[in-house]
Amino acid sequence: MTDPDQSSTNRRQFLAAGTTAGLALLAGCGSTTGSNNTTATSTSTPIPTTSGPAQFGRAALLGPSTVTLGKPFRLTLEVTNVGGETGTLNTDIHVTDGRSTIAQPIKRTIDPGERVKIQTDPVQFDIADSYTFDVGISKVSHTVSVQPKTAAYGTTFDLSDTLKGTAKSIEFRPAILYSPAGGSQTLLEQASSNQLLAVTRVDLENAGSQPASIGGEFELKNGELRQTLGSTTPLSAAKIEGKPLTSLRLSPGQQRSGWLLGEIPRSKARKAVSVVYQRDTSETPPELEWTSTPKQGTRELPQFAIESFQLPKRVTQGENATANVTIANKGNSTRTFRGLIESRTGNSGNWGGVAPITAQVRPGQSIQRNVTINSSADGTISYRLAPFNQTKTVEYVPPTFAFGQSYTTTENVSVTVSDIQAVQSVQLAGDEPIQRTAPSGKRFVIAKVRATAVGRSDGTPRGDEFQLKANGQTFAQADEVTRPLISPVEGEPYGGVYDPDSGDSFSWYVVWTAPKQVPTDAMTVQWTSREDSSGVRGESARWTKGGS
């Protein structure tokens, strides 16, 4: 969540601000002019010396090993003149953190055998890290680990010089619903196995006189914050109250509330959970940490179970299916269940959202929902209830009629299939009648189609959209029949028109080739319109003997 116009101080600036003051004081350590506020004392215990010029040894740099971010601390340099003459110590103390080094000179006159302690004025840091202070004699150094500020949720911290932040609350969910922009479909984002989604709400306030932006990053300790839903959908598509805490800019005095979405193992969510703020880089410890600790030591988490997911095995195409769903709350507090019935064609392909389910469930109780599924599908469709992923299969079959009955299409055309018969040969029109005989072991099957426009219509069914089926097989239309029939029936072997006027009626015959052993009583004629340009599956109807 880094804004290029961030107003917070960067790492190098914090380091300079946090250490220069203390080292400026160190720069005068041991000075006899009294121009600084460091404290220097001498020990009274005699120390053995050697003859000759001053020599400085037995040095030690002392101080705390761990401090809290922003808390002042002092360092003490101890050093002894082990030489035989009075001399002046000229060295420096410098701090390194791998990216910045600031050095300050030290100059102090020390008598033979004298051991002095030089204490700095308070030093503090605004970036958490491990800092090493070095002295340019005897390879003396001291490391101070600057740890984050920590507090409970509800505490306000300074994210930068002017931007204040408060982690208000955290909530755990097995899944959330979302709707990608520009689409009407609802999808479900669910946590990985043995994980939960965590929604943390954060308040921000710009207490300065200039615009301010989030200059660092929030992180979920022992978990991971989500930047998108699915692979590319922005967090703003989530059906969560409020807005995500993405890159934003606050005017002077402006306040803003938002949420962070993360994922965390269930085992970690049961205990204390922390959100941290990193001012500069993830290679160093965070600067701020808010912790939510369960009152009883272990947090109660949402726990739902599916008791029932029922769908009819067969549905007539164009009719709605009803899913019966029963969900139980196995936890000890009232929770909101969020689920989604999804579908896909057959047993492969991507799942798509069909019907979301949201309901509050009391502890130890169950809720039952009847969910209507609108579908224009045909064939076999798989449905599953996420996040449980229990799957059911529904076969969508075309509406079925007896030969001689009519079906009205969505294009306002009444279609009737009748007079089905099987023959060994047919006669076609020509200068002289043309005899066509079915291939060996087969025969021709003929059915009459009548299409009547009963309203405004873009077109009637086409002759090549009719199929002959029997015993799980589909039989092709006869290539031999391309001219008008004159025996055993009279009529065209093809048909279909565009933009008919209401009341216009058209009829033709369709001829297929089928094995002799297939009885006409077992035959089904099925019409399926072509997919339109948007890929919507075709409309279907079928005719059989008796209409079953």
Side-chain angles (χ1 to χ4, degrees):
M1 299 183 183
T2 303
D3 190 299
D5 297 325
Q6 65 185 34
S7 63
S8 61
T9 311
N10 64 29
R11 177 181 176 81
R12 184 178 296 275
Q13 291 171 328
F14 269 119
L15 181 61
T19 60
T20 302
L23 289 176
L25 298 172
L26 286 174
C29 290
S31 170
T32 59
T33 65
S35 61
N36 63 77
N37 296 320
T38 55
T39 302
T41 60
S42 300
T43 61
S44 58
T45 303
I47 297 175
T49 61
T50 61
S51 61
Q55 298 181 38
F56 303 103
R58 298 188 180 184
L61 187 59
L62 308 176
S65 59
T66 302
V67 297
T68 301
L69 183 86
K71 183 178 180 180
F73 64 94
R74 297 174 183 269
L75 295 176
T76 300
L77 173 63
E78 296 185 3
V79 64
T80 302
N81 182 356
V82 296
E85 300 176 3
T86 298
T88 300
L89 172 66
N90 281 292
T91 186
D92 64 15
I93 295 179
H94 54 275
V95 61
T96 60
D97 70 337
R99 299 202 306 175
S100 299
T101 300
I102 300 175
Q104 291 292 331
I106 296 175
K107 185 175 183 181
R108 178 175 175 82
T109 300
I110 306 175
D111 293 331
E114 181 183 13
R115 182 170 182 80
V116 298
K117 295 181 179 180
I118 306 170
Q119 189 178 61
T120 70
D121 274 356
V123 179
Q124 68 182 53
F125 291 97
D126 293 316
I127 290 292
D129 203 351
S130 181
Y131 294 94
T132 298
F133 292 83
D134 292 332
V135 181
I137 57 172
S138 304
K139 298 182 180 179
V140 173
S141 65
H142 180 73
T143 299
V144 179
S145 177
V146 179
Q147 298 296 308
K149 285 185 177 180
T150 60
Y153 269 60
T155 303
T156 300
F157 283 138
D158 291 333
L159 305 186
S160 66
D161 292 340
T162 60
L163 191 62
K164 298 180 180 296
T166 308
K168 299 288 289 185
S169 64
I170 189 166
E171 175 194 0
F172 299 95
R173 303 181 183 183
I176 61 170
L177 296 166
Y178 69 98
S179 296
S184 58
Q185 192 177 52
T186 297
L187 302 176
L188 188 78
E189 182 82 352
Q190 55 183 303
S192 305
S193 177
N194 297 318
Q195 306 255 337
L196 284 172
L197 298 178
V199 180
T200 296
R201 299 194 178 274
V202 178
D203 289 347
L204 298 177
E205 179 185 1
N206 180 3
S209 58
Q210 299 294 325
S213 303
I214 296 178
E217 292 184 352
F218 286 95
E219 298 173 8
L220 178 61
K221 202 170 182 179
N222 295 318
E224 183 177 359
L225 289 182
R226 297 282 189 91
Q227 304 302 319
T228 60
L229 301 169
S231 57
T232 59
T233 303
L235 294 175
S236 56
K239 295 181 181 295
I240 299 176
E241 184 180 355
K243 296 182 179 180
L245 200 65
T246 52
S247 297
L248 49 82
R249 187 176 180 86
L250 276 69
S251 302
Q254 185 180 6
Q255 297 180 350
R256 182 76 65 86
S257 296
W259 47 261
L260 307 167
L261 179 63
E263 186 171 358
I264 190 170
R266 275 185 171 269
S267 59
K268 300 295 184 181
R270 293 188 182 279
K271 304 174 183 178
V273 177
S274 298
V275 167
V276 300
Y277 183 75
Q278 186 83 36
R279 279 179 175 157
D280 59 338
T281 171
S282 59
E283 296 178 358
T284 60
E287 280 66 50
L288 308 171
E289 181 173 325
W290 295 266
T291 300
S292 173
T293 304
K295 295 181 180 179
Q296 305 301 324
T298 301
R299 181 178 282 107
E300 174 68 25
L301 298 175
Q303 187 72 46
F304 294 102
I306 182 171
E307 292 187 343
S308 175
F309 178 45
Q310 300 295 328
L311 276 164
K313 293 183 178 180
R314 178 173 292 184
V315 176
T316 299
Q317 181 186 343
E319 296 182 359
N320 295 333
T322 299
N324 182 278
V325 178
T326 304
I327 303 297
N329 181 356
K330 299 296 185 179
N332 296 323
S333 59
T334 299
R335 299 282 184 176
T336 299
F337 171 76
R338 298 171 181 87
L340 181 67
I341 296 178
E342 301 173 315
S343 71
R344 69 180 181 186
T345 302
N347 296 316
S348 61
N350 296 325
W351 292 96
V354 174
I357 303 174
T358 302
Q360 275 201 335
V361 191
R362 294 181 178 180
Q365 296 190 9
S366 302
I367 58 101
Q368 186 269 336
R369 292 288 186 271
N370 289 323
V371 182
T372 299
I373 299 175
N374 299 312
S375 177
S376 60
D378 65 352
T380 300
I381 304 296
S382 296
Y383 293 94
R384 72 175 181 183
L385 178 59
F388 304 110
N389 298 332
Q390 188 172 121
T391 303
K392 297 290 182 180
T393 299
V394 176
E395 181 186 4
Y396 285 88
V397 296
T400 304
F401 304 91
F403 288 116
Q405 292 182 331
S406 299
Y407 167 71
T408 300
T409 72
T410 56
E411 287 292 340
N412 295 320
V413 176
S414 175
V415 181
T416 306
V417 177
S418 62
D419 301 340
I420 189 168
Q421 57 181 299
V423 297
Q424 193 61 43
S425 63
V426 296
Q427 282 190 340
L428 308 179
D431 293 339
E432 293 184 3
I434 302 172
Q435 186 81 12
R436 289 285 187 263
T437 302
S440 176
K442 297 185 178 182
R443 56 182 178 169
F444 294 122
V445 178
I446 306 172
K448 183 178 182 180
V449 177
R450 176 175 292 276
T452 303
V454 294
R456 186 181 182 281
S457 175
D458 288 335
T460 70
R462 316 295 294 181
D464 58 1
E465 294 174 349
F466 289 84
Q467 293 180 316
L468 181 68
K469 298 185 176 186
N471 303 325
Q473 293 181 291
T474 299
F475 306 110
Q477 293 189 14
D479 293 335
E480 301 91 339
V481 181
T482 58
R483 292 172 174 267
L485 292 155
I486 58 175
S487 178
V489 295
E490 293 185 6
E492 298 289 346
Y494 46 80
V497 298
Y498 292 108
D499 301 321
D501 293 330
S502 181
D504 287 352
S505 186
F506 310 89
S507 63
W508 65 91
Y509 289 91
V510 184
V511 183
W512 300 272
T513 303
K516 287 183 177 180
Q517 64 269 27
V518 178
T520 56
D521 289 352
M523 293 179 179
T524 296
V525 175
Q526 180 168 319
W527 165 72
T528 302
S529 65
R530 296 184 181 92
E531 292 184 358
D532 63 21
S533 58
S534 64
V536 175
R537 297 178 66 86
E539 179 183 3
S540 290
R542 62 184 181 181
W543 288 261
T544 66
K545 181 180 180 180
S548 60

